[in-house]
Amino acid sequence: MDEIQKTEKSFHFDLYRRLPVTLVRGEGTRVWDSSGREYLDFLSGIAVNVLGHGHPAIIRAINDQSAKLIHVSNIFYNEPQARLAELLTGISDFERVFFCNSGLEANEAAIKLARKIGNEKGKKGPIISFTSGFHGRSIASITMGSTKHQQGFGPLPRGFLKLPYNDVSSLKENVNDETVAIFVEAIQGEGGVNPAHMVFMVALQELCKKYEVLLVGDEIQTGFGRTGRLFGYQHYPILPDMITVAKALGGGFPIGALLSSSSLSSHFKYGDHGTTFGGNPLACAASLATVKTIMSENLIESAAELGKYFLEMLQPMRDRIPQINEIRGKGLMIGIDLSFPCRPVVLKMLEKGFIINCTAENVIRLLPPLIITKKEIDRLIINLEEAIIEEIP
């Protein structure tokens, strides 16, 4: 344990099960620890660093903007915020943007907007979410998420209902004209990299239209090319009423957003919602550089191609290792479902010089930067197979 780790353990809340490494520098797909050891990053700060580490466009944008103006509050207009709103509405299916600082804040904004609209329509039903979902760690968002994140925090807010993910019959039994909104992830990330079934998403859209229920797509982990599409919902013939985004939006700089139509956004009036830091010039400048680079360098199409290659190259491993239950995902969002807890595999891969993640106890989650190469994917697969075999109980 180095001095930084000892200091952190002495003064920080004991909330994280950190890997025993202190990272000090990054470049592209690689990071280095305090001892100078190099690692290939297949986690991207949990789907955040889509352009890798130290990308010149992001560094340049942050340097240039920080020399001009870092923060002014939303009492004033600022150019990076206006330009980013224009860009996001131009490349998406939505007309209005509210900026905040994180995915959690984006979801809280969506909850409030859905409630406001529901109340105006006289709806008295719940906001629906799904088992194994994850929408943040506020009191409202843990109520919509996994039971394990709710323990010890009751009483939880009323007005929420959780249904089984990918269960069409449950949807039909519970969605009605009193339902306010439905939050859904096209691929559940924290829940184990679980893609939504086509029939489920189609039924979801149909029921929302039938009963005038707001469909909210949580795109916080799936957005901005991660799945091989700009947004995860675009793998299905649906269109949410609003989406929440964060993570990749800033390329490593904290920023979140809620996107909706103009007609929905108009239900928020002056004072209904707001933020001090959200949409600050520095965050928006970093985001502008990130999104423009994703689009100009065709990284969405690249993620689709690389994801297909990744999954094809992983499948033989499943055939050779019976303890692999399933390999699933889309684009560069991949889960390897094991028959045993996968944290020992994560630690073994760290020894081998690779950063990966374990979620839902037994699912290896792979979220590399969109600039990853086939050669780096090949290196990961060779070492990952060795690590899984070595850690089979």
Side-chain angles (χ1 to χ4, degrees):
M1 183 182 298
D2 65 20
E3 186 270 333
I4 292 298
Q5 293 172 31
K6 291 178 181 177
T7 301
E8 189 276 342
K9 285 185 174 293
S10 297
F11 300 107
H12 197 280
F13 274 45
D14 188 17
L15 287 169
Y16 305 110
R17 191 166 60 168
R18 301 183 196 269
L19 295 174
V21 169
T22 301
L23 297 179
V24 297
R25 184 169 68 90
E27 181 180 335
T29 57
R30 299 170 297 162
V31 291
W32 287 263
D33 68 16
S34 53
S35 69
R37 185 152 187 232
E38 178 184 315
Y39 304 84
L40 257 179
D41 185 1
F42 274 77
L43 182 57
S44 307
I46 315 180
V48 171
N49 302 318
V50 282
L51 302 184
H53 300 270
H55 194 283
I58 299 176
I59 299 301
R60 185 166 52 251
I62 291 174
N63 286 342
D64 290 349
Q65 186 60 48
S66 63
K68 298 176 186 174
L69 200 62
I70 293 176
H71 174 75
V72 294
S73 87
N74 285 298
I75 292 174
F76 303 95
Y77 294 96
N78 77 76
E79 183 176 355
Q81 184 183 120
R83 297 300 180 204
L84 182 57
E86 180 182 41
L87 174 62
L88 293 180
T89 56
I91 62 175
S92 74
D93 296 309
F94 305 94
E95 301 166 319
R96 294 282 176 166
V97 185
F98 166 76
F99 290 114
C100 50
N101 306 289
S102 67
L104 164 62
E105 290 184 22
N107 279 333
E108 285 282 354
I111 292 169
K112 283 184 69 176
L113 182 55
R115 278 270 174 243
K116 182 96 186 290
I117 295 170
N119 286 336
E120 290 173 0
K121 290 184 175 181
K123 288 177 174 270
K124 302 186 183 303
I127 292 174
I128 290 174
S129 59
F130 299 98
T131 54
S132 299
F134 184 81
H135 304 284
R137 297 179 191 269
S138 69
I139 287 294
S141 58
I142 64 170
T143 304
M144 298 197 301
S146 173
T147 304
K148 72 176 183 179
H149 295 123
Q150 300 171 1
Q151 295 175 9
F153 296 105
L156 298 174
R158 295 176 296 174
F160 294 91
L161 173 66
K162 266 194 305 185
L163 300 179
Y165 191 60
N166 279 327
D167 188 329
V168 174
S169 61
S170 178
L171 273 181
K172 292 180 177 179
E173 290 170 7
N174 287 278
V175 178
N176 53 54
D177 55 14
E178 290 294 321
T179 305
V180 172
I182 299 176
F183 279 68
V184 66
E185 299 164 271
I187 303 177
Q188 293 183 328
E190 188 74 15
V193 192
N194 306 309
H197 297 165
M198 180 65 72
V199 65
F200 175 74
M201 293 295 262
V202 170
L204 194 56
Q205 179 83 90
E206 290 174 350
L207 288 167
C208 285
K209 287 184 176 180
K210 178 179 180 180
Y211 295 113
E212 296 186 5
V213 175
L214 293 171
L215 180 57
V216 184
D218 184 328
E219 293 281 348
I220 290 159
Q221 193 162 144
T222 51
F224 298 99
R226 172 59 52 191
T227 70
R229 298 286 180 90
L230 180 59
F231 300 114
Y233 77 82
Q234 292 172 331
H235 290 281
Y236 308 90
I238 70 167
L239 178 60
D241 296 290
M242 35 179 150
I243 61 170
T244 55
V245 294
K247 288 190 180 289
L249 175 60
F253 203 97
I255 185 171
L258 168 64
L259 283 74
S260 79
S261 66
S262 295
S263 61
L264 290 183
S265 72
S266 67
H267 289 268
F268 263 167
K269 306 301 182 184
Y270 172 74
D272 279 348
H273 200 56
T275 170
T276 298
F277 292 107
N280 67 75
L282 192 56
C284 290
S287 180
L288 274 166
T290 301
V291 177
K292 285 181 178 179
T293 302
I294 290 171
M295 304 304 291
S296 65
E297 296 188 3
N298 298 316
L299 293 180
I300 299 172
E301 295 82 359
S302 176
E305 179 190 342
L306 287 168
K308 182 179 179 182
Y309 175 81
F310 209 157
L311 287 170
E312 288 176 353
M313 298 304 290
L314 282 168
Q315 287 305 324
M317 186 196 309
R318 183 188 180 192
D319 298 334
R320 291 190 291 266
I321 303 175
Q323 289 82 2
I324 295 178
N325 297 323
E326 185 181 12
I327 299 174
R328 55 183 178 255
K330 295 180 186 294
L332 291 173
M333 184 174 183
I334 294 172
I336 302 173
D337 191 334
L338 303 179
S339 63
F340 59 92
C342 60
R343 184 167 174 85
V345 178
V346 172
L347 294 172
K348 180 62 69 173
M349 286 297 285
L350 200 64
E351 292 178 13
K352 294 174 179 289
F354 295 85
I355 295 175
I356 63 172
N357 178 241
C358 176
T359 191
E361 299 301 327
N362 65 326
V363 178
I364 294 170
R365 179 168 48 169
L366 302 172
L367 301 164
L370 304 191
I371 61 169
I372 203 76
T373 66
K374 288 183 178 180
K375 184 177 179 180
E376 290 168 331
I377 289 171
D378 292 342
R379 284 181 56 196
L380 179 281
I381 291 172
I382 291 169
N383 284 272
L384 182 57
E385 181 166 0
E386 291 175 357
I388 292 173
I389 292 171
E390 290 169 14
E391 295 303 324
I392 291 173

